[in-house]
Amino acid sequence: MANEAPANVIPIPNDEESVASNADKDMVKWRGNLVPREEAKALRHVFDDLKDHFGHQQPDPHVRANVTSFKHPGHGLMWHGNLDFTYQIEGEHCNLGYIGMDVCIDLIPKKCQKQGEPTLKDYGKTWVYVYTPQETLDKFIKYVKIGTGWVVSTDGTVHDPNRNLVAIEARLHHQTDQPKPSFWVAKNRDASIGDMSFSRIGSVQEVNETSAQQRVHRGIGIFSVSLEVEGTPNFKPTPGNRDDANLCFTLVSVRTWGITDCVAPIVHAPSKWF
């Protein structure tokens, strides 16, 4: 994910900011890609300025969660929808399919079974553990409930009561036709978050293969989030009438400013979706 372009952007050759006339709306450049002006504003807000992310001792984000494309795939017993987030930026409402959250990303290699096979299959390639304070996840879940009406289940998370952290299994794009999640490190780690600048050092998968980086990294993870609710194809579930919803996090980018030895990493546990 070299330039972190969402799937619907139009690639262009250089990085100078410009505006192009479009039949429907203005298009502007963001990291070498043409996107609608309103979306570019939200992308800069979330990815570049790291604003309105969920975090410990952070002000309440000015964002509202919504469910889009809620449908049944035609097989199985789950309905699926994507969360879209409406940000209030300079008096304007801007929609974006990404949200930021304070996390520690675990790139520590996992133990192997006696047969030599990893106990956590494809760890660091198709998924990773990210750790976040319990209160941070609780606040995010509260926003989802207010915005969508769905009560969110915490099944599948692992709670560390000693440090009050929650481990979330975050998916990683890894197919050849998908942009891999980008890994950025702070150039000026002593600065405040708003004043930090970052340098991309590769994808999460590439960094995970570097022995010097196989640690627990502190930072902000940027995620796309989907929602799953149990239900049959011919009966659409609605909030309040069905079981709790499950959230699925996909890590699309991470901004880090250091490592930590204060988090006990998970070394063996059954995986949620693999």
Side-chain angles (χ1 to χ4, degrees):
M1 195 170 183
N3 56 7
E4 297 184 320
N8 61 338
V9 300
I10 305 169
I12 51 178
N14 59 66
D15 292 321
E16 295 178 5
E17 178 122 344
S18 66
V19 179
S21 177
N22 183 274
D24 298 318
K25 60 182 73 175
D26 287 339
M27 305 291 285
V28 302
K29 287 185 182 180
W30 180 77
R31 300 204 175 171
N33 301 277
L34 276 176
V35 298
R37 181 191 63 79
E38 188 178 282
E39 183 178 353
K41 191 173 186 178
L43 287 166
R44 287 192 290 266
H45 188 78
V46 174
F47 283 80
D48 299 340
D49 302 333
L50 302 178
K51 296 287 185 65
D52 283 328
H53 69 276
F54 288 80
H56 182 57
Q57 295 181 341
Q58 292 291 323
D60 290 345
H62 296 288
V63 63
R64 183 178 180 87
N66 317 281
V67 179
T68 62
S69 303
F70 189 60
K71 57 187 178 181
H72 194 279
H75 56 83
L77 295 175
M78 300 296 288
W79 285 69
H80 302 268
N82 296 318
L83 290 188
D84 193 61
F85 302 95
T86 303
Y87 294 89
Q88 296 181 32
I89 308 173
E90 298 174 349
E92 186 176 7
H93 291 93
C94 302
N95 294 327
L96 191 68
Y98 305 106
I99 194 74
M101 186 179 298
D102 277 354
V103 297
C104 292
I105 177 172
D106 182 2
L107 298 186
I108 295 177
K110 303 309 173 188
K111 291 183 178 181
C112 293
Q113 296 175 346
K114 292 181 180 180
Q115 294 85 355
E117 293 296 324
T119 58
L120 300 177
K121 184 180 178 182
D122 292 330
Y123 188 82
K125 296 179 181 179
T126 64
W127 69 284
V128 291
Y129 279 119
V130 295
Y131 309 112
T132 192
Q134 179 71 61
E135 58 265 30
T136 298
L137 181 61
D138 289 344
K139 179 174 286 189
F140 180 72
I141 287 174
K142 179 180 179 181
Y143 271 63
V144 173
K145 172 66 167 62
I146 293 173
T148 70
W150 286 106
V151 175
V152 174
S153 170
T154 56
D155 291 348
T157 61
V158 181
H159 181 230
D160 179 355
N162 295 321
R163 294 178 175 84
N164 201 28
L165 293 176
V166 179
I168 300 171
E169 296 182 21
R171 296 174 176 177
L172 305 174
H173 289 312
H174 60 282
Q175 303 291 346
T176 54
D177 60 341
Q178 297 174 318
K180 291 182 173 62
S182 57
F183 194 101
W184 300 65
V185 296
K187 298 177 182 178
N188 46 344
R189 299 182 180 181
D190 295 330
S192 63
I193 292 178
D195 295 327
M196 281 185 179
S197 59
F198 295 86
S199 176
R200 185 183 186 277
I201 63 172
S203 68
V204 170
Q205 289 92 334
E206 290 168 339
V207 174
N208 182 64
E209 295 290 331
T210 305
S211 58
Q213 299 289 350
Q214 292 175 344
R215 308 288 296 274
V216 177
H217 298 260
R218 297 182 296 115
I220 295 176
I222 300 172
F223 302 88
S224 62
V225 187
S226 59
L227 181 144
E228 297 181 344
V229 183
E230 187 174 351
T232 59
N234 57 352
F235 185 81
K236 184 176 182 179
T238 56
N241 295 327
R242 303 292 295 177
D243 295 335
D244 294 349
N246 295 313
L247 297 180
C248 301
F249 292 83
T250 299
L251 183 66
V252 299
S253 188
V254 62
R255 305 292 190 274
T256 69
W257 48 77
I259 60 174
T260 179
D261 296 319
C262 298
V263 174
I266 293 175
V267 295
H268 175 266
S271 181
K272 185 175 178 182
W273 19 75
F274 297 98

